[in-house]
Amino acid sequence: MTGESAAPHIPVLLEPLLREVAPVSGVWIDGTFGAGGYSRGLVEAGADQVIGIDRDPLAHEMAADWLGDWPKISLVRDNFSNLDKVAPLVDGVVLDLGVSSMQLDQAERGFSFMRDGPLDMRMGQEGRSAADIVNTATEAELADILYIYGEERQSRRVARAIVQDRPFDRTLPLAEMIERVLGRTKPGQAHAATRSFQALRIAVNGEFEALWLGLMAAERALKPGGLLAVVTFHSVEDRMVKRFFQLHGDKKKQVNKYARTLEASEAPFEILTRKAVGPDPDELARNPRARSAKLRVARRTDMTAADISGADIAMPMLRETK
Ligand SMILES: C[S@@+](CC[C@H](N)C(=O)[O-])C[C@H]1O[C@@H](n2cnc3c(N)ncnc32)[C@H](O)[C@@H]1O
């Protein structure tokens, strides 16, 4: 591993997740392996086999130290949007979205506005970096990225300032510039650059496209009775999962005038968490990072995968919020 030593990632909402999916057995996919906390938790809860997926080489380097002691866990380098190709018939899928503490802690990955590093943010280390986007996107494209992916209300002001001051190659100068534009961060408030950094990370990694494709892939891979559990960290992501569950679930609710809703009897999922599950006070005290986490769980029915084309619906839905 390069650079600073990475702090261990504390799994978020693992206990409530294991409670919701109990009893655990059979083959599971952990689509966001990270430090492997969910994979080990699933094995300890009774899974016969866990196939971990992570697109980041860091997760693979770190797992090399301990994976040999866990014969039921294997690890594949891929995007979880391909999870049904990695394992076409499984009893459960878990996704714990976003970045790990190890990724945030390594300044040279460029995810953190608190540590100076190259403006990179690529989980898979291929494709456009955050610097590529910041330095080449038009002002209008930047404003859209900040607004849609980061819900940054001052997206236009930030985009204008970026275009005026660019190029940016490092994280701290960008974070400081955003703080100058939006005003100094007050004690107890999230840093002024939080939303912009989140937005850039989502754009760099195509996180929303991966999420929607991953949910559809899970629908294809899960056996009847199989379970899908998703943990999100911010409202746009949670809205996407909620919407997928509404469109593909047994809840009869008109969610979009263009979308066909499914009768309960033809839905490929039965929704088990009518309301998202959050952390309890004990978990919050142990791990403040769990603050905004939300868990949603659904059970696959024996209906064939829905013929609703998600990507067409999800992206306009995000734009509708503008
Ligand atoms: C929040 S961490 C998961 C932590 C893990 N549950 C644990 O307990 O250690 C998210 C991980 O998922 C990976 N990841 C995010 N999006 C991905 C995607 N589309 N495909 C594969 N891996 C992804 C990241 O590289 C990161 O390691």
Side-chain angles (χ1 to χ4, degrees):
M1 193 191 318
T2 52
E4 301 149 61
S5 69
H9 177 93
I10 307 172
V12 172
L13 294 183
L14 179 58
E15 282 170 30
L17 184 149
L18 292 174
R19 259 199 312 275
E20 291 287 338
V21 301
V24 176
S25 64
V27 180
W28 283 67
I29 294 183
D30 175 358
T32 50
F33 186 82
Y38 276 29
S39 290
R40 289 190 300 273
L42 287 165
V43 167
E44 282 169 348
D48 300 303
Q49 190 191 348
V50 177
I51 303 161
I53 300 177
D54 204 297
R55 67 201 290 194
D56 191 333
L58 173 63
H60 296 251
E61 280 172 41
M62 293 189 66
D65 292 342
W66 58 268
L67 215 48
D69 299 331
W70 291 76
K72 292 184 178 174
I73 303 179
S74 55
L75 181 54
V76 177
R77 181 153 177 222
D78 208 328
N79 191 312
F80 63 61
S81 56
N82 295 322
L83 66 86
D84 58 328
K85 299 189 182 76
V86 173
L89 205 57
V90 296
D91 299 278
V93 173
V94 292
L95 298 176
D96 174 21
L97 301 170
V99 275
S100 66
S101 323
M102 298 94 68
Q103 288 167 324
L104 280 174
D105 287 348
Q106 290 202 317
E108 71 268 21
R109 301 300 304 275
F111 287 111
S112 172
F113 48 78
M114 312 283 280
R115 297 162 194 267
D116 194 35
L119 198 51
D120 188 324
M121 303 194 189
R122 290 172 301 175
M123 289 182 189
Q125 302 190 336
E126 71 270 312
R128 288 189 311 170
S129 68
D132 291 333
I133 294 181
V134 160
N135 296 327
T136 62
T138 64
E139 188 178 320
E141 283 165 350
L142 281 170
D144 272 358
I145 287 172
L146 299 177
Y147 190 85
I148 295 167
Y149 296 154
E151 297 188 293
E152 174 53 71
R153 286 198 185 149
Q154 309 257 33
S155 55
R156 288 181 206 288
R157 277 181 68 200
V158 178
R160 195 174 319 126
I162 289 177
V163 169
Q164 268 164 14
D165 284 14
R166 68 188 182 187
F168 288 95
D169 298 318
R170 314 251 338 146
T171 49
L172 274 196
L174 177 63
E176 284 162 7
M177 188 280 287
I178 295 172
E179 204 174 27
R180 276 198 304 280
V181 171
L182 298 184
R184 271 201 101 58
T185 310
K186 300 193 183 70
Q189 267 186 356
H191 190 285
T194 307
R195 286 182 296 277
S196 299
F197 270 59
Q198 173 190 306
L200 286 171
R201 196 200 78 214
I202 290 171
V204 164
N205 295 292
E207 288 180 37
F208 287 172
E209 292 82 350
L211 173 56
W212 198 267
L213 293 172
L215 294 171
M216 307 243 284
E219 183 172 315
R220 290 190 296 272
L222 283 166
K223 294 177 188 169
L227 291 157
L228 170 61
V230 189
V231 172
T232 61
F233 283 87
H234 53 80
S235 51
V236 198
E237 230 169 39
D238 181 55
R239 229 181 290 143
M240 274 183 79
V241 177
K242 186 173 165 188
R243 185 174 179 78
F244 179 87
F245 279 14
Q246 282 172 339
L247 284 170
H248 296 233
D250 54 336
K251 199 173 185 178
K252 280 195 215 164
K253 188 169 172 213
Q254 191 67 34
V255 285
N256 179 309
K257 61 183 171 186
Y258 304 112
R260 187 170 77 84
T261 46
L262 296 167
E263 293 301 316
S265 58
E266 58 176 344
F269 281 105
E270 176 195 347
I271 300 169
L272 301 186
T273 46
R274 290 284 162 187
K275 272 187 70 184
V277 178
D280 64 20
D282 282 354
E283 175 160 11
L284 271 182
R286 277 197 316 271
N287 186 10
R289 191 176 166 268
R291 200 176 42 242
S292 53
K294 285 185 177 165
L295 163 71
R296 294 184 186 272
V297 183
R299 183 188 291 122
R300 189 74 173 84
T301 67
D302 55 7
M303 289 293 120
T304 48
D307 62 357
I308 295 171
S309 160
D312 314 345
I313 298 165
M315 296 303 141
M317 180 276 293
L318 293 168
R319 290 202 169 81
E320 273 166 27
T321 58
K322 191 156 190 173

